[in-house]
Amino acid sequence: MDEGSKIPEIPVTIDDAVVSLASLGAPLVVYFYPKDDTAGCTTEAKDFSALSDAFAAAGVTVIGVSKDTAASHAKFTAKHGLAVRLASDVEGAACEAFGVWVEKAMYGRKYMGIERATFLFDADGTLAKAWRKVHVAGHAEAVLAAAKAL
C-alpha cells in the first residue's frame, strides 16, 4: 500500500462482527502485528493502549490487526488489559491488501508471516504515512505524533 491510497474496503472481524476497515472512519491507524501474546506484540499493544486516550483526544481510531482469531484477541485483551481494539484477519485479505504478508527468515528457515507495519490514514481516508519493519520501542509515540500533526 502506497501513500495516497484510500482505506481499503477489506473485511476484518472485530468482537465477532465482520466490518470493513473503511467503515471504521478516519483518521485511522491500522497496525499489523505477527501474533497475540508474544513479547514484541504484547509490548506494542500495551504501548498503543497506554496512548489510547491521547489518540481518542486527537480523534484518531487505532486498530491492531493479526491473523489470530477473535477468541485469541479476547484472551489477549483480557490478559493484558488492552484498551486498543484488535481485528482478526484469519483469511489474510487485509494482510495481502496492505502488503504485509511477506517471506521471513528465522534460524535459516524461511516462512510466510506478518511484517510488523503501521499505516496512518488522514481525515479523508488517504494514507498519509506508512511505517514498515517497525521496531516496537517508541513506535506508538511516533505514530501519535504523526497523527497529531495531520
Coordinates of all heavy atoms in Angstrom, one line a residue, residues 47-119:
D47 N 1.7 -0.5 24.5 CA 2.1 0.9 24.2 C 1.0 1.7 23.5 O 0.7 2.8 23.9 CB 3.3 0.9 23.3 CG 4.6 0.5 24.0 OD1 4.6 0.3 25.2 OD2 5.6 0.3 23.3
F48 N 0.3 1.1 22.5 CA -0.9 1.7 21.9 C -2.0 1.9 22.9 O -2.7 2.9 22.9 CB -1.3 1.0 20.6 CG -0.6 1.3 19.4 CD1 0.3 0.4 18.8 CD2 -0.7 2.6 18.8 CE1 1.0 0.8 17.6 CE2 0.0 2.9 17.6 CZ 0.8 2.0 17.0
S49 N -2.2 0.9 23.7 CA -3.3 1.0 24.8 C -3.0 2.2 25.7 O -3.9 2.9 26.1 CB -3.4 -0.3 25.5 OG -3.9 -1.3 24.7
A50 N -1.7 2.3 26.1 CA -1.4 3.4 27.1 C -1.6 4.8 26.5 O -1.9 5.7 27.2 CB 0.1 3.2 27.5
L51 N -1.6 4.9 25.2 CA -1.8 6.1 24.5 C -3.2 6.3 23.9 O -3.5 7.2 23.2 CB -0.8 6.3 23.4 CG 0.7 6.4 23.8 CD1 1.6 6.4 22.6 CD2 0.9 7.6 24.7
S52 N -4.1 5.3 24.2 CA -5.5 5.3 23.6 C -6.2 6.6 23.9 O -6.9 7.1 23.0 CB -6.3 4.0 24.1 OG -6.5 4.1 25.5
D53 N -6.1 7.1 25.1 CA -6.8 8.4 25.4 C -6.3 9.5 24.6 O -7.1 10.4 24.1 CB -6.7 8.7 26.9 CG -7.6 7.8 27.8 OD1 -8.4 7.1 27.2 OD2 -7.3 7.8 29.0
A54 N -5.0 9.6 24.4 CA -4.4 10.6 23.5 C -4.8 10.5 22.1 O -5.1 11.5 21.4 CB -2.8 10.6 23.7
F55 N -4.9 9.2 21.6 CA -5.3 9.0 20.2 C -6.8 9.5 20.1 O -7.2 10.2 19.1 CB -5.2 7.6 19.8 CG -3.8 7.2 19.3 CD1 -2.9 6.5 20.0 CD2 -3.4 7.6 18.0 CE1 -1.7 6.2 19.6 CE2 -2.1 7.3 17.5 CZ -1.3 6.6 18.3
A56 N -7.6 9.1 21.1 CA -9.0 9.5 21.1 C -9.2 11.0 21.1 O -10.0 11.5 20.4 CB -9.8 8.8 22.2
A57 N -8.4 11.7 21.9 CA -8.5 13.1 22.0 C -8.1 13.8 20.7 O -8.6 14.8 20.4 CB -7.5 13.6 23.2
A58 N -7.2 13.1 19.9 CA -6.9 13.6 18.6 C -7.9 13.2 17.5 O -7.7 13.5 16.4 CB -5.5 13.1 18.2
G59 N -8.9 12.4 18.0 CA -9.9 12.0 17.0 C -9.5 10.9 16.1 O -10.1 10.6 15.1
V60 N -8.5 10.1 16.6 CA -7.9 9.0 15.7 C -8.3 7.7 16.3 O -8.1 7.4 17.5 CB -6.4 9.1 15.7 CG1 -5.8 8.0 14.8 CG2 -6.0 10.5 15.1
T61 N -8.8 6.8 15.4 CA -9.2 5.4 15.8 C -7.9 4.6 15.6 O -7.3 4.7 14.5 CB -10.3 4.9 15.0 OG1 -11.5 5.7 15.2 CG2 -10.7 3.5 15.3
V62 N -7.6 3.7 16.5 CA -6.5 2.8 16.4 C -7.0 1.3 16.4 O -7.8 0.9 17.2 CB -5.5 2.9 17.5 CG1 -4.3 1.9 17.4 CG2 -4.9 4.4 17.6
I63 N -6.5 0.6 15.4 CA -6.9 -0.9 15.3 C -5.7 -1.7 15.0 O -4.9 -1.4 14.2 CB -8.0 -1.1 14.2 CG1 -8.6 -2.4 14.3 CG2 -7.5 -0.8 12.8 CD1 -9.8 -2.5 15.2
G64 N -5.5 -2.8 15.8 CA -4.4 -3.7 15.6 C -4.9 -4.9 14.9 O -6.0 -5.4 15.1
V65 N -4.2 -5.4 13.9 CA -4.6 -6.5 13.0 C -3.6 -7.6 13.0 O -2.4 -7.4 12.8 CB -4.9 -6.0 11.6 CG1 -5.4 -7.2 10.7 CG2 -5.8 -4.8 11.5
S66 N -4.1 -8.8 13.2 CA -3.2 -10.0 13.0 C -4.1 -11.1 12.5 O -5.3 -11.0 12.3 CB -2.6 -10.5 14.3 OG -3.5 -11.1 15.2
K67 N -3.5 -12.3 12.2 CA -4.3 -13.4 11.7 C -4.9 -14.3 12.8 O -5.5 -15.3 12.5 CB -3.4 -14.2 10.7 CG -3.1 -13.5 9.4 CD -2.4 -14.4 8.4 CE -3.4 -15.2 7.7 NZ -2.8 -15.9 6.6
D68 N -4.7 -13.9 14.0 CA -5.3 -14.6 15.2 C -6.8 -14.5 15.1 O -7.3 -13.5 14.6 CB -4.7 -14.0 16.5 CG -3.2 -14.2 16.7 OD1 -2.8 -15.4 16.7 OD2 -2.5 -13.2 16.7
T69 N -7.4 -15.4 15.8 CA -8.9 -15.4 15.8 C -9.4 -14.4 16.8 O -8.7 -13.9 17.7 CB -9.4 -16.8 16.3 OG1 -9.0 -17.0 17.6 CG2 -8.9 -17.9 15.4
A70 N -10.7 -14.1 16.7 CA -11.4 -13.2 17.6 C -11.3 -13.7 19.1 O -11.1 -12.9 20.0 CB -12.8 -13.0 17.2
A71 N -11.4 -15.0 19.2 CA -11.3 -15.6 20.6 C -9.9 -15.4 21.1 O -9.7 -15.1 22.3 CB -11.6 -17.1 20.5
S72 N -8.9 -15.5 20.3 CA -7.5 -15.3 20.7 C -7.3 -13.8 21.1 O -6.7 -13.5 22.2 CB -6.5 -15.7 19.6 OG -5.2 -15.3 20.0
H73 N -7.9 -12.9 20.3 CA -7.8 -11.5 20.6 C -8.5 -11.2 22.0 O -8.0 -10.4 22.8 CB -8.5 -10.7 19.6 CG -7.7 -10.5 18.3 ND1 -6.3 -10.7 18.2 CD2 -8.1 -10.2 17.0 CE1 -6.0 -10.5 17.0 NE2 -7.0 -10.2 16.2
A74 N -9.6 -11.8 22.3 CA -10.3 -11.6 23.5 C -9.5 -12.0 24.7 O -9.4 -11.3 25.7 CB -11.7 -12.4 23.5
K75 N -8.8 -13.2 24.6 CA -8.0 -13.7 25.7 C -6.8 -12.7 25.9 O -6.4 -12.4 27.0 CB -7.5 -15.1 25.4 CG -8.5 -16.2 25.6 CD -8.0 -17.5 25.2 CE -6.8 -17.9 26.0 NZ -6.3 -19.3 25.7
F76 N -6.2 -12.3 24.7 CA -5.0 -11.4 24.8 C -5.4 -10.1 25.4 O -4.7 -9.6 26.3 CB -4.6 -11.2 23.3 CG -3.3 -10.4 23.1 CD1 -2.2 -10.4 23.9 CD2 -3.3 -9.5 22.0 CE1 -1.1 -9.7 23.7 CE2 -2.2 -8.7 21.8 CZ -1.1 -8.8 22.6
T77 N -6.5 -9.5 25.0 CA -7.0 -8.3 25.6 C -7.3 -8.4 27.1 O -6.8 -7.5 27.8 CB -8.3 -7.8 24.8 OG1 -8.0 -7.6 23.4 CG2 -8.8 -6.5 25.4
A78 N -7.9 -9.4 27.5 CA -8.3 -9.6 28.9 C -7.0 -9.8 29.7 O -6.9 -9.3 30.8 CB -9.2 -10.8 29.1
K79 N -6.1 -10.7 29.2 CA -4.9 -11.0 30.0 C -4.0 -9.7 30.3 O -3.4 -9.6 31.3 CB -4.0 -12.0 29.2 CG -2.7 -12.4 29.9 CD -2.0 -13.5 29.1 CE -0.7 -13.8 29.7 NZ 0.0 -14.9 28.9
H80 N -4.0 -8.8 29.3 CA -3.1 -7.7 29.4 C -3.8 -6.3 29.6 O -3.2 -5.3 29.6 CB -2.2 -7.6 28.2 CG -1.3 -8.8 28.0 ND1 -0.2 -9.0 28.8 CD2 -1.3 -9.8 27.2 CE1 0.4 -10.1 28.5 NE2 -0.3 -10.6 27.5
G81 N -5.1 -6.4 29.8 CA -5.9 -5.2 30.0 C -5.8 -4.2 28.9 O -5.6 -3.0 29.1
L82 N -5.8 -4.6 27.6 CA -5.6 -3.8 26.5 C -6.8 -2.9 26.2 O -7.9 -3.3 26.4 CB -5.3 -4.6 25.2 CG -4.1 -5.6 25.3 CD1 -4.0 -6.4 24.0 CD2 -2.8 -4.8 25.6
A83 N -6.5 -1.6 25.9 CA -7.5 -0.7 25.5 C -7.7 -0.5 24.0 O -8.7 0.0 23.5 CB -7.2 0.7 26.1
V84 N -6.7 -1.0 23.3 CA -6.7 -0.9 21.8 C -7.6 -2.0 21.2 O -7.7 -3.1 21.8 CB -5.3 -1.0 21.2 CG1 -4.7 -2.3 21.4 CG2 -5.3 -0.6 19.8
R85 N -8.4 -1.7 20.2 CA -9.2 -2.7 19.6 C -8.4 -3.6 18.6 O -7.5 -3.1 17.9 CB -10.4 -2.0 18.8 CG -11.3 -1.3 19.7 CD -12.4 -0.5 19.0 NE -13.3 -1.4 18.3 CZ -14.1 -1.0 17.3 NH1 -14.0 0.3 16.9 NH2 -14.9 -1.8 16.7
L86 N -8.7 -4.9 18.6 CA -8.0 -5.8 17.7 C -8.9 -6.4 16.7 O -10.0 -6.8 17.0 CB -7.3 -6.9 18.6 CG -6.4 -6.4 19.7 CD1 -5.9 -7.6 20.5 CD2 -5.2 -5.6 19.1
A87 N -8.4 -6.6 15.5 CA -9.2 -7.1 14.4 C -8.5 -8.4 13.9 O -7.3 -8.5 13.9 CB -9.3 -6.2 13.2
S88 N -9.4 -9.4 13.6 CA -8.9 -10.7 13.1 C -8.9 -10.7 11.6 O -9.9 -10.3 11.0 CB -9.8 -11.8 13.6 OG -9.7 -12.0 15.0
D89 N -7.8 -11.1 11.0 CA -7.7 -11.3 9.5 C -7.3 -12.7 9.2 O -6.2 -12.9 8.6 CB -6.7 -10.2 9.0 CG -6.6 -10.3 7.5 OD1 -7.6 -10.5 6.8 OD2 -5.5 -10.1 7.0
V90 N -8.1 -13.7 9.7 CA -7.8 -15.1 9.6 C -7.5 -15.5 8.2 O -6.5 -16.2 7.9 CB -8.9 -15.9 10.2 CG1 -8.6 -17.4 10.1 CG2 -9.0 -15.6 11.7
E91 N -8.2 -15.0 7.2 CA -8.1 -15.4 5.8 C -6.9 -14.6 5.2 O -6.5 -15.0 4.1 CB -9.4 -15.1 5.0 CG -10.6 -15.9 5.5 CD -10.4 -17.4 5.4 OE1 -9.8 -17.8 4.4 OE2 -10.8 -18.1 6.4
G92 N -6.4 -13.5 5.8 CA -5.3 -12.8 5.3 C -5.6 -11.8 4.2 O -4.7 -11.2 3.6
A93 N -6.9 -11.4 4.0 CA -7.2 -10.4 2.9 C -6.6 -9.1 3.2 O -6.1 -8.4 2.3 CB -8.7 -10.3 2.8
A94 N -6.7 -8.6 4.5 CA -6.1 -7.3 4.8 C -4.6 -7.4 4.7 O -4.0 -6.4 4.2 CB -6.5 -6.9 6.2
C95 N -4.0 -8.5 5.2 CA -2.5 -8.6 5.1 C -2.1 -8.5 3.7 O -1.1 -7.8 3.4 CB -2.1 -9.9 5.7 SG -2.3 -10.0 7.5
E96 N -2.8 -9.1 2.8 CA -2.4 -9.1 1.4 C -2.6 -7.7 0.8 O -1.8 -7.2 0.1 CB -3.3 -10.1 0.6 CG -2.9 -11.5 0.8 CD -1.6 -12.0 0.2 OE1 -1.1 -11.3 -0.7 OE2 -1.0 -13.0 0.7
A97 N -3.7 -7.1 1.1 CA -4.1 -5.7 0.6 C -3.0 -4.7 1.0 O -2.7 -3.8 0.3 CB -5.5 -5.3 1.0
F98 N -2.5 -4.8 2.3 CA -1.5 -3.9 2.8 C -0.1 -4.3 2.5 O 0.8 -3.5 2.8 CB -1.7 -3.7 4.3 CG -2.9 -2.8 4.7 CD1 -4.2 -3.3 4.7 CD2 -2.6 -1.5 5.0 CE1 -5.2 -2.5 5.1 CE2 -3.7 -0.6 5.4 CZ -5.0 -1.1 5.4
G99 N 0.1 -5.5 1.9 CA 1.4 -5.9 1.5 C 2.3 -6.3 2.7 O 3.5 -6.2 2.6
V100 N 1.7 -6.8 3.8 CA 2.4 -7.1 5.0 C 2.6 -8.7 5.2 O 3.3 -9.1 6.1 CB 1.8 -6.5 6.3 CG1 1.8 -5.0 6.2 CG2 0.4 -7.1 6.6
W101 N 2.0 -9.5 4.3 CA 2.2 -10.9 4.3 C 3.4 -11.2 3.5 O 3.4 -11.1 2.3 CB 1.0 -11.6 3.8 CG 1.0 -13.1 3.9 CD1 1.1 -14.0 2.9 CD2 1.0 -13.9 5.1 NE1 1.1 -15.3 3.4 CE2 1.0 -15.2 4.8 CE3 0.9 -13.5 6.5 CZ2 1.0 -16.2 5.7 CZ3 0.9 -14.5 7.4 CH2 0.9 -15.9 7.1
V102 N 4.6 -11.4 4.2 CA 5.9 -11.5 3.5 C 6.6 -12.7 3.9 O 6.4 -13.4 4.9 CB 6.7 -10.2 3.8 CG1 6.0 -9.0 3.3 CG2 7.0 -10.1 5.3
E103 N 7.7 -13.0 3.1 CA 8.6 -14.1 3.5 C 9.5 -13.6 4.6 O 10.1 -12.5 4.5 CB 9.4 -14.6 2.3 CG 10.3 -15.8 2.6 CD 11.0 -16.3 1.4 OE1 12.0 -15.7 1.0 OE2 10.5 -17.3 0.8
K104 N 9.7 -14.4 5.6 CA 10.5 -14.1 6.7 C 11.5 -15.2 6.9 O 11.3 -16.3 6.3 CB 9.7 -13.9 8.0 CG 8.7 -12.8 7.9 CD 7.7 -12.8 9.1 CE 8.1 -11.7 10.0 NZ 7.1 -11.6 11.2
A105 N 12.5 -15.0 7.7 CA 13.5 -16.0 7.9 C 13.9 -15.9 9.4 O 14.1 -14.9 10.0 CB 14.8 -15.8 7.1
M106 N 14.0 -17.1 10.0 CA 14.5 -17.2 11.4 C 15.3 -18.5 11.5 O 14.8 -19.6 11.1 CB 13.3 -17.3 12.4 CG 13.7 -17.3 13.8 SD 12.4 -17.3 15.0 CE 11.8 -15.7 14.9
Y107 N 16.5 -18.4 12.0 CA 17.4 -19.5 12.2 C 17.6 -20.3 10.9 O 17.6 -21.5 10.9 CB 16.9 -20.5 13.3 CG 16.6 -19.8 14.6 CD1 15.4 -19.8 15.2 CD2 17.7 -19.1 15.3 CE1 15.1 -19.1 16.4 CE2 17.4 -18.5 16.5 CZ 16.2 -18.5 17.0 OH 15.9 -17.9 18.2
G108 N 17.7 -19.5 9.8 CA 17.9 -20.1 8.5 C 16.7 -20.7 7.8 O 16.7 -21.2 6.7
R109 N 15.5 -20.7 8.5 CA 14.3 -21.3 8.0 C 13.4 -20.2 7.4 O 13.2 -19.1 8.1 CB 13.5 -22.0 9.1 CG 12.3 -22.7 8.6 CD 11.6 -23.4 9.8 NE 11.0 -22.5 10.8 CZ 9.8 -22.0 10.7 NH1 9.0 -22.3 9.6 NH2 9.3 -21.2 11.6
K110 N 13.0 -20.3 6.2 CA 12.1 -19.3 5.6 C 10.6 -19.7 5.8 O 10.3 -20.9 5.7 CB 12.4 -19.2 4.1 CG 13.8 -18.6 3.8 CD 14.0 -18.3 2.3 CE 15.4 -17.9 2.0 NZ 15.8 -16.6 2.6
Y111 N 9.8 -18.7 6.0 CA 8.4 -19.0 6.2 C 7.6 -17.7 5.9 O 8.2 -16.6 5.8 CB 8.1 -19.4 7.6 CG 8.4 -18.4 8.7 CD1 7.5 -17.5 9.2 CD2 9.8 -18.2 9.1 CE1 7.8 -16.6 10.2 CE2 10.1 -17.3 10.1 CZ 9.1 -16.4 10.6 OH 9.4 -15.5 11.5
M112 N 6.3 -17.8 5.7 CA 5.5 -16.6 5.5 C 4.9 -16.1 6.8 O 4.5 -16.9 7.7 CB 4.3 -16.9 4.5 CG 4.8 -17.3 3.1 SD 5.7 -16.0 2.3 CE 4.4 -14.8 2.0
G113 N 4.9 -14.8 7.0 CA 4.4 -14.2 8.2 C 4.0 -12.7 8.0 O 4.3 -12.2 6.9
I114 N 3.5 -12.2 9.0 CA 3.1 -10.7 9.0 C 4.3 -9.9 9.4 O 4.9 -10.1 10.4 CB 1.9 -10.5 10.0 CG1 0.7 -11.2 9.5 CG2 1.7 -9.0 10.1 CD1 -0.5 -11.1 10.5
E115 N 4.6 -8.9 8.5 CA 5.6 -7.9 8.8 C 5.0 -6.9 9.7 O 3.9 -6.4 9.4 CB 6.0 -7.2 7.4 CG 6.9 -6.0 7.6 CD 7.2 -5.3 6.3 OE1 6.3 -4.7 5.8 OE2 8.3 -5.4 5.8
R116 N 5.7 -6.5 10.8 CA 5.1 -5.5 11.7 C 5.2 -4.2 10.9 O 6.2 -3.7 10.5 CB 6.0 -5.5 12.9 CG 5.4 -4.6 14.1 CD 6.4 -4.6 15.3 NE 6.7 -5.9 15.7 CZ 6.0 -6.7 16.5 NH1 4.8 -6.3 16.9 NH2 6.4 -7.9 16.9
A117 N 4.0 -3.6 10.7 CA 3.9 -2.4 10.0 C 2.7 -1.6 10.5 O 1.7 -2.1 11.0 CB 3.7 -2.7 8.5
T118 N 2.7 -0.3 10.3 CA 1.6 0.6 10.7 C 1.3 1.6 9.6 O 2.2 2.1 8.9 CB 2.1 1.4 12.0 OG1 2.4 0.5 13.0 CG2 1.0 2.3 12.5
F119 N 0.0 1.9 9.5 CA -0.5 2.8 8.4 C -1.4 3.8 9.0 O -2.3 3.5 9.8 CB -1.3 2.0 7.4 CG -0.4 0.9 6.7 CD1 -0.3 -0.4 7.3 CD2 0.3 1.1 5.6 CE1 0.5 -1.4 6.8 CE2 1.1 0.1 5.0 CZ 1.1 -1.1 5.6

